[in-house]
Amino acid sequence: MQTNSNLHSFDEIMDAQYGKPGTPERETFNRGADTYCIGQIILEAHKQEKMTQEALAKQIGTNKSYISKIENGLVEPSSSRFLRILSALGLRFDIVKPIIQL
């Protein structure tokens, strides 16, 4: 059976492009990815609630530009502001201890 040398695992691609896990480059990438994901969650939630960026911003005491920056992954909101955004969108953030089954 012939193998395709062009095939790589996702881990190999990530390591080549952003460095190995634990390196500053990889941590920077991971933080940016997390920030982007948070923004997308907020974007989808306010669309689902049929709420504009402006209305959301007003409810949490900021401006539309700041909400846009969060949604585009350019700004990571503080934890208190993130919780206010979730509350304004009728969402909840729960911290739970996972159940591990052996």
Side-chain angles (χ1 to χ4, degrees):
M1 184 168 152
Q2 190 175 20
T3 60
N4 186 338
S5 62
N6 292 327
L7 295 178
H8 300 280
S9 74
F10 186 70
D11 289 333
E12 289 174 325
I13 294 168
M14 292 294 291
D15 291 351
Q17 189 148 1
Y18 301 106
K20 299 267 184 200
T23 62
E25 296 83 5
R26 184 69 163 261
E27 294 306 313
T28 298
F29 171 80
N30 288 341
R31 186 163 190 98
D34 291 345
T35 301
Y36 179 78
C37 288
I38 288 169
Q40 290 302 293
I41 290 167
I42 293 168
L43 172 65
E44 289 304 314
H46 90 72
K47 281 183 174 181
Q48 199 167 36
E49 290 298 310
K50 296 180 177 32
M51 181 184 289
T52 65
Q53 287 179 336
E54 192 169 347
L56 176 58
K58 188 174 182 178
Q59 277 196 359
I60 67 162
T62 190
N63 58 49
K64 178 184 171 187
S65 173
Y66 183 73
I67 299 299
S68 176
K69 287 176 184 176
I70 292 171
E71 291 176 352
N72 288 301
L74 302 174
V75 172
E76 182 177 355
S78 67
S79 56
S80 62
R81 183 154 285 166
F82 179 65
L83 293 174
R84 284 196 309 248
I85 291 169
L86 293 181
S87 179
L89 293 169
L91 301 173
R92 206 172 74 191
F93 182 79
D94 292 330
I95 299 174
V96 296
K97 189 173 188 175
I99 299 173
I100 299 173
Q101 295 181 6
L102 299 176

